[in-house]
Amino acid sequence: MIDLPPDLAPVPEVLAKGLGEVASLFDAHLRSDLLPVADLVAHVERYRGKMLRPALALLCGLASSEQRPALALSRAHYTIAATCEMVHMATLVHDDVLDEAEVRRRGRTINALQGNEAAVMLGDYLIAGAFHLCSLLDDPRPARTIGSVSMAMCAGELLQLSNRENLSLDLGTYLEILERKTGALIGAACELGALASGAPVTTADALRRYGLLLGVAFQVQDDLLDLLGDERTVGKSVGRDAGKGKITLPMILALREAPPDARIAIIAAYDAARAEPTGDAPRRLAALLDECSAVEHSRAFAAGHVDRALTELNALKPGPAREALRLLGRAVINRAF
Amino acid sequence: MIDLPPDLAPVPEVLAKGLGEVASLFDAHLRSDLLPVADLVAHVERYRGKMLRPALALLCGLASSEQRPALALSRAHYTIAATCEMVHMATLVHDDVLDEAEVRRRGRTINALQGNEAAVMLGDYLIAGAFHLCSLLDDPRPARTIGSVSMAMCAGELLQLSNRENLSLDLGTYLEILERKTGALIGAACELGALASGAPVTTADALRRYGLLLGVAFQVQDDLLDLLGDERTVGKSVGRDAGKGKITLPMILALREAPPDARIAIIAAYDAARAEPTGDAPRRLAALLDECSAVEHSRAFAAGHVDRALTELNALKPGPAREALRLLGRAVINRAF
């Protein structure tokens, strides 16, 4: 997600090599003797993106280790990193079920039924693969944490789903959705990476909080990019949140802070974007949210979470790995994709 | 699934009490402080049916134990039984995604999109719950087995999916689908139930094979009920397999054994049932498959698997729990629901 500066050597190199190990382990664990399974798994590669969770697991492992960087990472770190990425990938694949459903609503796919089922099953295969992978570790803690975090993620998604089109969604519930849906897994990646280096529980806990706070900031930035981003830069279609009835932070803050007249205009723009997500309506909504400072306040909210996250890094000894975690934390909200 | 005769006392009573413990553990583990999650979990209860997997896990635990029946079952047995039922339930919920898609194709649901997503997420919540539950055990083997079996189940489903409408599907591939999709989890329930009683690996292996063979027979019987069963007795809609393009054993045997003329008629009837699954076509297909003895041969195939399964029970010492496993084995193919 970021290019670490060369003065953090040897961390950038160790990280790059480690991420290569994670990718190999990921692929090897999902390999199947059945052709249709192997074919689908090959498609999963197109989802592989920022590798944020593996990078955090490895960097937290490096930063918590008593060893020198070149010797600090073990198979346990790669296993934890690959497990977290597999869980994340499963959520992306299952999100596709929704996307395919949308395409189907416009009647485009010929074999939508089979496509839908394959996406559900492939996602399940990834979840099962993730649990199986981390169950192979000697330490039982990763399997327990990943199991409990996965339950929290689903609960967060269901909470979000039940608040679709709920214009009264309050900040507390919104934050709870983000912490469960996005923060919990990123927190686990950091915590488990540290534990695999033999870090004390207090350090692992601080890094879990770092990851949790960063995850919330990451998701707010994602929502801002959906609202304001340029499709070609973001790399996926934008303006989808309003179309899906998803209420995100700028909307919550706007409805809370804007004067009555502006609120009416915002709700009308939201309704229009909901009804016609492919037209100009999402852009009009974005402009209104920007005008009433809701976008600016959302950015400040994300930045505040990053600041709090970076404070947790004080639990670590100073060094290039801690500095890399600091830079990665800032990058989460300074990204345009 | 069966009423065990009173002369097997105290096994029927111990089993009934044990299944009560499993149900409590199941509910407690899925409990959520979030209302939308709790609501959906409550709906899952309507899926709870035969409790075949928990019953097998507990009976294998009883049959392998050195303790007397009233003291033989522990929290480990209940955990394994609840885990297997949760994985099974997750597959049922994810099957619903397909069913809801069908209903949507006929344009009936208003909020089909949200329904679809909730089913995917609820299934994921159940899978995560299952893994988390068994990761809490001291013994790491259940988590590893459940992880690997879950991967096999998804692979089996994907293999079946890729063979939709494949009229050249051979018996070997069909059997592989059934072993992975249905047999593997039932085998794991039996194996892990025995291991939780401290059974030697050879006994646990024999019971795994018992469960695997029984699972295949169970699935063949399920397919026969879909073809021939009475909707009111079966308790779910019948004739759906052909409509979904699923090629099952009677069809495979008929295409292999029937003379050319009959084959042409069977393929025509299959095409008609595929195109119009709600009309008379599935009944006509069933009649043709019955005429050419494919139904009879399918029953013999299932019965042969049950016979082989029961042979594996010789690994156990004689007694009422072993006798209960024998009766349950026979019941798998002598059921009308």
Short mmCIF file of all heavy atoms in Angstrom, two decimals, chain B residues 238-284:
data_model
loop_
_atom_site.label_atom_id
_atom_site.label_comp_id
_atom_site.label_asym_id
_atom_site.label_seq_id
_atom_site.Cartn_x
_atom_site.Cartn_y
_atom_site.Cartn_z
N VAL B 238 -40.43 -31.49 -3.64
CA VAL B 238 -39.74 -32.58 -4.32
C VAL B 238 -39.64 -32.25 -5.81
O VAL B 238 -40.21 -31.28 -6.29
CB VAL B 238 -40.46 -33.92 -4.11
CG1 VAL B 238 -40.44 -34.30 -2.64
CG2 VAL B 238 -41.88 -33.87 -4.64
N GLY B 239 -38.87 -33.07 -6.52
CA GLY B 239 -38.70 -32.87 -7.96
C GLY B 239 -37.81 -31.69 -8.29
O GLY B 239 -37.79 -31.21 -9.42
N ARG B 240 -37.05 -31.20 -7.28
CA ARG B 240 -36.25 -30.00 -7.53
C ARG B 240 -34.92 -30.32 -8.22
O ARG B 240 -34.36 -29.48 -8.90
CB ARG B 240 -35.95 -29.28 -6.21
CG ARG B 240 -37.20 -28.78 -5.51
CD ARG B 240 -36.84 -27.86 -4.36
NE ARG B 240 -35.82 -28.42 -3.51
CZ ARG B 240 -35.24 -27.77 -2.52
NH1 ARG B 240 -35.58 -26.52 -2.27
NH2 ARG B 240 -34.32 -28.35 -1.76
N ASP B 241 -34.42 -31.55 -8.01
CA ASP B 241 -33.10 -31.88 -8.56
C ASP B 241 -33.04 -31.70 -10.07
O ASP B 241 -32.13 -31.04 -10.59
CB ASP B 241 -32.69 -33.30 -8.16
CG ASP B 241 -32.34 -33.40 -6.68
OD1 ASP B 241 -32.11 -32.34 -6.06
OD2 ASP B 241 -32.28 -34.52 -6.17
N ALA B 242 -34.01 -32.29 -10.77
CA ALA B 242 -34.01 -32.17 -12.23
C ALA B 242 -34.15 -30.71 -12.64
O ALA B 242 -33.48 -30.23 -13.55
CB ALA B 242 -35.14 -33.01 -12.83
N GLY B 243 -35.01 -29.99 -11.92
CA GLY B 243 -35.21 -28.58 -12.22
C GLY B 243 -33.93 -27.78 -12.09
O GLY B 243 -33.70 -26.79 -12.79
N LYS B 244 -33.07 -28.22 -11.16
CA LYS B 244 -31.80 -27.52 -10.95
C LYS B 244 -30.69 -28.06 -11.85
O LYS B 244 -29.54 -27.62 -11.74
CB LYS B 244 -31.34 -27.72 -9.50
CG LYS B 244 -32.09 -26.91 -8.47
CD LYS B 244 -31.32 -26.98 -7.14
CE LYS B 244 -32.24 -27.16 -5.96
NZ LYS B 244 -31.52 -27.58 -4.74
N GLY B 245 -31.02 -29.06 -12.67
CA GLY B 245 -29.99 -29.63 -13.54
C GLY B 245 -29.07 -30.60 -12.83
O GLY B 245 -28.02 -30.97 -13.34
N LYS B 246 -29.47 -31.01 -11.62
CA LYS B 246 -28.66 -31.95 -10.84
C LYS B 246 -28.84 -33.36 -11.38
O LYS B 246 -29.98 -33.84 -11.50
CB LYS B 246 -29.13 -31.91 -9.38
CG LYS B 246 -28.05 -31.66 -8.37
CD LYS B 246 -28.64 -31.37 -7.01
CE LYS B 246 -28.54 -32.54 -6.07
NZ LYS B 246 -29.11 -32.23 -4.73
N ILE B 247 -27.72 -34.01 -11.71
CA ILE B 247 -27.80 -35.39 -12.20
C ILE B 247 -27.59 -36.31 -11.00
O ILE B 247 -26.53 -36.25 -10.36
CB ILE B 247 -26.71 -35.66 -13.25
CG1 ILE B 247 -26.66 -34.54 -14.30
CG2 ILE B 247 -26.89 -37.02 -13.89
CD1 ILE B 247 -27.84 -34.49 -15.21
N THR B 248 -28.58 -37.14 -10.68
CA THR B 248 -28.43 -38.01 -9.51
C THR B 248 -28.32 -39.47 -9.95
O THR B 248 -28.44 -39.80 -11.13
CB THR B 248 -29.59 -37.80 -8.52
OG1 THR B 248 -30.81 -38.12 -9.17
CG2 THR B 248 -29.63 -36.36 -8.03
N LEU B 249 -28.12 -40.34 -8.96
CA LEU B 249 -27.80 -41.74 -9.25
C LEU B 249 -28.80 -42.44 -10.18
O LEU B 249 -28.36 -43.10 -11.15
CB LEU B 249 -27.63 -42.52 -7.94
CG LEU B 249 -27.14 -43.96 -8.08
CD1 LEU B 249 -25.78 -44.03 -8.78
CD2 LEU B 249 -27.06 -44.64 -6.71
N PRO B 250 -30.12 -42.34 -9.94
CA PRO B 250 -31.04 -43.06 -10.85
C PRO B 250 -30.83 -42.66 -12.31
O PRO B 250 -30.86 -43.49 -13.21
CB PRO B 250 -32.42 -42.62 -10.35
CG PRO B 250 -32.22 -42.19 -8.94
CD PRO B 250 -30.84 -41.63 -8.87
N MET B 251 -30.57 -41.38 -12.53
CA MET B 251 -30.34 -40.88 -13.88
C MET B 251 -29.05 -41.47 -14.47
O MET B 251 -29.02 -41.91 -15.62
CB MET B 251 -30.26 -39.34 -13.77
CG MET B 251 -30.26 -38.61 -15.06
SD MET B 251 -31.89 -38.66 -15.84
CE MET B 251 -31.46 -37.85 -17.38
N ILE B 252 -28.00 -41.47 -13.67
CA ILE B 252 -26.72 -42.01 -14.14
C ILE B 252 -26.86 -43.49 -14.50
O ILE B 252 -26.42 -43.92 -15.57
CB ILE B 252 -25.63 -41.84 -13.05
CG1 ILE B 252 -25.31 -40.36 -12.84
CG2 ILE B 252 -24.35 -42.59 -13.43
CD1 ILE B 252 -24.43 -40.08 -11.64
N LEU B 253 -27.51 -44.24 -13.61
CA LEU B 253 -27.66 -45.68 -13.87
C LEU B 253 -28.56 -45.93 -15.07
O LEU B 253 -28.30 -46.81 -15.89
CB LEU B 253 -28.22 -46.38 -12.62
CG LEU B 253 -27.30 -46.34 -11.38
CD1 LEU B 253 -27.96 -47.06 -10.21
CD2 LEU B 253 -25.93 -46.95 -11.69
N ALA B 254 -29.62 -45.13 -15.20
CA ALA B 254 -30.53 -45.32 -16.32
C ALA B 254 -29.82 -45.06 -17.65
O ALA B 254 -29.95 -45.84 -18.60
CB ALA B 254 -31.73 -44.38 -16.18
N LEU B 255 -29.05 -43.97 -17.70
CA LEU B 255 -28.37 -43.64 -18.95
C LEU B 255 -27.30 -44.69 -19.29
O LEU B 255 -26.93 -44.86 -20.44
CB LEU B 255 -27.74 -42.25 -18.87
CG LEU B 255 -28.74 -41.09 -18.81
CD1 LEU B 255 -28.03 -39.77 -18.61
CD2 LEU B 255 -29.61 -41.04 -20.07
N ARG B 256 -26.81 -45.37 -18.24
CA ARG B 256 -25.78 -46.37 -18.46
C ARG B 256 -26.39 -47.71 -18.86
O ARG B 256 -25.82 -48.44 -19.68
CB ARG B 256 -25.00 -46.55 -17.15
CG ARG B 256 -23.60 -47.02 -17.33
CD ARG B 256 -22.78 -46.80 -16.08
NE ARG B 256 -23.09 -47.75 -15.03
CZ ARG B 256 -22.24 -48.10 -14.06
NH1 ARG B 256 -21.03 -47.56 -14.03
NH2 ARG B 256 -22.58 -48.93 -13.13
N GLU B 257 -27.57 -48.02 -18.33
CA GLU B 257 -28.11 -49.37 -18.46
C GLU B 257 -29.26 -49.49 -19.46
O GLU B 257 -29.50 -50.59 -19.99
CB GLU B 257 -28.60 -49.88 -17.09
CG GLU B 257 -27.46 -50.06 -16.10
CD GLU B 257 -27.95 -50.18 -14.65
OE1 GLU B 257 -29.18 -50.28 -14.43
OE2 GLU B 257 -27.09 -50.18 -13.75
N ALA B 258 -29.97 -48.39 -19.69
CA ALA B 258 -31.18 -48.50 -20.50
C ALA B 258 -30.83 -48.71 -21.98
O ALA B 258 -29.79 -48.25 -22.45
CB ALA B 258 -32.03 -47.25 -20.34
N PRO B 259 -31.71 -49.41 -22.73
CA PRO B 259 -31.51 -49.54 -24.19
C PRO B 259 -31.69 -48.17 -24.86
O PRO B 259 -32.36 -47.28 -24.31
CB PRO B 259 -32.60 -50.53 -24.61
CG PRO B 259 -33.61 -50.52 -23.51
CD PRO B 259 -32.90 -50.12 -22.26
N PRO B 260 -31.11 -48.01 -26.06
CA PRO B 260 -31.09 -46.70 -26.74
C PRO B 260 -32.45 -45.98 -26.76
O PRO B 260 -32.50 -44.78 -26.46
CB PRO B 260 -30.63 -47.05 -28.16
CG PRO B 260 -29.79 -48.27 -27.98
CD PRO B 260 -30.39 -49.04 -26.84
N ASP B 261 -33.52 -46.69 -27.09
CA ASP B 261 -34.83 -46.04 -27.18
C ASP B 261 -35.25 -45.43 -25.84
O ASP B 261 -35.73 -44.29 -25.78
CB ASP B 261 -35.90 -47.06 -27.59
CG ASP B 261 -35.91 -47.24 -29.10
OD1 ASP B 261 -35.00 -46.68 -29.76
OD2 ASP B 261 -36.80 -47.94 -29.61
N ALA B 262 -35.07 -46.22 -24.79
CA ALA B 262 -35.43 -45.74 -23.45
C ALA B 262 -34.57 -44.53 -23.07
O ALA B 262 -35.05 -43.57 -22.46
CB ALA B 262 -35.29 -46.86 -22.43
N ARG B 263 -33.30 -44.58 -23.44
CA ARG B 263 -32.40 -43.44 -23.15
C ARG B 263 -32.92 -42.15 -23.75
O ARG B 263 -32.92 -41.10 -23.11
CB ARG B 263 -31.00 -43.70 -23.73
CG ARG B 263 -30.15 -44.67 -22.95
CD ARG B 263 -28.84 -44.88 -23.69
NE ARG B 263 -28.19 -43.59 -23.95
CZ ARG B 263 -27.02 -43.23 -23.44
NH1 ARG B 263 -26.36 -44.07 -22.67
NH2 ARG B 263 -26.50 -42.06 -23.70
N ILE B 264 -33.35 -42.24 -25.00
CA ILE B 264 -33.86 -41.04 -25.68
C ILE B 264 -35.08 -40.49 -24.94
O ILE B 264 -35.19 -39.29 -24.70
CB ILE B 264 -34.19 -41.37 -27.16
CG1 ILE B 264 -32.87 -41.64 -27.90
CG2 ILE B 264 -34.95 -40.22 -27.81
CD1 ILE B 264 -33.06 -42.22 -29.29
N ALA B 265 -35.97 -41.39 -24.52
CA ALA B 265 -37.18 -40.97 -23.80
C ALA B 265 -36.81 -40.34 -22.46
O ALA B 265 -37.40 -39.34 -22.03
CB ALA B 265 -38.11 -42.17 -23.60
N ILE B 266 -35.80 -40.94 -21.79
CA ILE B 266 -35.39 -40.42 -20.47
C ILE B 266 -34.79 -39.03 -20.61
O ILE B 266 -35.09 -38.12 -19.83
CB ILE B 266 -34.39 -41.40 -19.81
CG1 ILE B 266 -35.13 -42.67 -19.34
CG2 ILE B 266 -33.68 -40.76 -18.63
CD1 ILE B 266 -34.23 -43.84 -19.03
N ILE B 267 -33.95 -38.84 -21.62
CA ILE B 267 -33.34 -37.52 -21.82
C ILE B 267 -34.40 -36.48 -22.14
O ILE B 267 -34.36 -35.35 -21.63
CB ILE B 267 -32.25 -37.59 -22.92
CG1 ILE B 267 -31.06 -38.43 -22.40
CG2 ILE B 267 -31.77 -36.19 -23.30
CD1 ILE B 267 -30.00 -38.73 -23.43
N ALA B 268 -35.38 -36.87 -22.94
CA ALA B 268 -36.46 -35.94 -23.27
C ALA B 268 -37.24 -35.58 -22.00
O ALA B 268 -37.57 -34.40 -21.78
CB ALA B 268 -37.39 -36.56 -24.32
N ALA B 269 -37.50 -36.57 -21.16
CA ALA B 269 -38.24 -36.31 -19.92
C ALA B 269 -37.42 -35.44 -18.97
O ALA B 269 -37.96 -34.55 -18.28
CB ALA B 269 -38.60 -37.63 -19.24
N TYR B 270 -36.10 -35.67 -18.94
CA TYR B 270 -35.22 -34.85 -18.11
C TYR B 270 -35.24 -33.40 -18.59
O TYR B 270 -35.38 -32.46 -17.77
CB TYR B 270 -33.79 -35.41 -18.14
CG TYR B 270 -32.77 -34.46 -17.60
CD1 TYR B 270 -32.53 -34.38 -16.24
CD2 TYR B 270 -32.04 -33.62 -18.46
CE1 TYR B 270 -31.60 -33.48 -15.73
CE2 TYR B 270 -31.11 -32.72 -17.96
CZ TYR B 270 -30.89 -32.66 -16.59
OH TYR B 270 -29.98 -31.77 -16.10
N ASP B 271 -35.13 -33.21 -19.91
CA ASP B 271 -35.17 -31.86 -20.47
C ASP B 271 -36.47 -31.15 -20.11
O ASP B 271 -36.48 -29.97 -19.76
CB ASP B 271 -35.00 -31.90 -21.99
CG ASP B 271 -33.55 -32.19 -22.39
OD1 ASP B 271 -32.65 -32.00 -21.54
OD2 ASP B 271 -33.33 -32.59 -23.55
N ALA B 272 -37.56 -31.90 -20.17
CA ALA B 272 -38.87 -31.32 -19.85
C ALA B 272 -38.94 -30.95 -18.37
O ALA B 272 -39.45 -29.88 -18.02
CB ALA B 272 -39.98 -32.30 -20.21
N ALA B 273 -38.40 -31.82 -17.51
CA ALA B 273 -38.43 -31.56 -16.06
C ALA B 273 -37.54 -30.37 -15.73
O ALA B 273 -37.83 -29.57 -14.84
CB ALA B 273 -37.98 -32.79 -15.29
N ARG B 274 -36.43 -30.26 -16.45
CA ARG B 274 -35.51 -29.14 -16.26
C ARG B 274 -36.19 -27.83 -16.63
O ARG B 274 -36.06 -26.82 -15.93
CB ARG B 274 -34.27 -29.37 -17.15
CG ARG B 274 -33.29 -28.23 -17.20
CD ARG B 274 -32.14 -28.47 -16.25
NE ARG B 274 -31.13 -27.41 -16.33
CZ ARG B 274 -31.05 -26.43 -15.43
NH1 ARG B 274 -31.90 -26.35 -14.42
NH2 ARG B 274 -30.10 -25.53 -15.53
N ALA B 275 -36.95 -27.87 -17.74
CA ALA B 275 -37.59 -26.65 -18.23
C ALA B 275 -38.80 -26.28 -17.38
O ALA B 275 -39.09 -25.10 -17.18
CB ALA B 275 -38.01 -26.84 -19.69
N GLU B 276 -39.49 -27.28 -16.87
CA GLU B 276 -40.76 -27.03 -16.16
C GLU B 276 -40.81 -27.85 -14.88
O GLU B 276 -41.56 -28.81 -14.78
CB GLU B 276 -41.91 -27.40 -17.11
CG GLU B 276 -43.25 -26.78 -16.74
CD GLU B 276 -43.26 -25.26 -16.84
OE1 GLU B 276 -43.21 -24.74 -17.96
OE2 GLU B 276 -43.29 -24.61 -15.77
N PRO B 277 -39.99 -27.47 -13.88
CA PRO B 277 -39.88 -28.34 -12.69
C PRO B 277 -41.16 -28.39 -11.86
O PRO B 277 -41.30 -29.27 -11.02
CB PRO B 277 -38.73 -27.71 -11.90
CG PRO B 277 -38.53 -26.36 -12.46
CD PRO B 277 -39.10 -26.32 -13.83
N THR B 278 -42.08 -27.46 -12.07
CA THR B 278 -43.28 -27.45 -11.23
C THR B 278 -44.44 -28.23 -11.86
O THR B 278 -45.45 -28.45 -11.21
CB THR B 278 -43.75 -26.01 -10.96
OG1 THR B 278 -43.81 -25.32 -12.21
CG2 THR B 278 -42.79 -25.30 -10.03
N GLY B 279 -44.30 -28.65 -13.10
CA GLY B 279 -45.39 -29.36 -13.77
C GLY B 279 -45.33 -30.87 -13.53
O GLY B 279 -44.81 -31.34 -12.52
N ASP B 280 -45.87 -31.63 -14.48
CA ASP B 280 -45.92 -33.09 -14.36
C ASP B 280 -44.62 -33.76 -14.79
O ASP B 280 -44.42 -34.95 -14.53
CB ASP B 280 -47.05 -33.65 -15.25
CG ASP B 280 -48.41 -33.33 -14.68
OD1 ASP B 280 -48.48 -33.10 -13.45
OD2 ASP B 280 -49.39 -33.31 -15.46
N ALA B 281 -43.75 -33.00 -15.45
CA ALA B 281 -42.55 -33.60 -16.04
C ALA B 281 -41.70 -34.39 -15.04
O ALA B 281 -41.28 -35.51 -15.36
CB ALA B 281 -41.72 -32.52 -16.75
N PRO B 282 -41.44 -33.87 -13.82
CA PRO B 282 -40.62 -34.67 -12.89
C PRO B 282 -41.23 -36.03 -12.59
O PRO B 282 -40.52 -37.02 -12.46
CB PRO B 282 -40.58 -33.79 -11.63
CG PRO B 282 -40.78 -32.41 -12.13
CD PRO B 282 -41.73 -32.53 -13.27
N ARG B 283 -42.56 -36.09 -12.49
CA ARG B 283 -43.24 -37.38 -12.24
C ARG B 283 -43.04 -38.33 -13.41
O ARG B 283 -42.85 -39.53 -13.23
CB ARG B 283 -44.74 -37.17 -12.01
CG ARG B 283 -45.08 -36.48 -10.71
CD ARG B 283 -44.98 -37.43 -9.52
NE ARG B 283 -44.80 -36.66 -8.28
CZ ARG B 283 -44.31 -37.15 -7.16
NH1 ARG B 283 -43.92 -38.41 -7.09
NH2 ARG B 283 -44.18 -36.39 -6.10
N ARG B 284 -43.12 -37.80 -14.63
CA ARG B 284 -42.93 -38.65 -15.82
C ARG B 284 -41.51 -39.20 -15.85
O ARG B 284 -41.28 -40.37 -16.13
CB ARG B 284 -43.20 -37.85 -17.10
CG ARG B 284 -44.67 -37.77 -17.48
CD ARG B 284 -44.85 -37.54 -18.99
NE ARG B 284 -43.99 -36.49 -19.54
CZ ARG B 284 -44.28 -35.18 -19.44
NH1 ARG B 284 -45.38 -34.78 -18.85
NH2 ARG B 284 -43.45 -34.30 -19.95
#
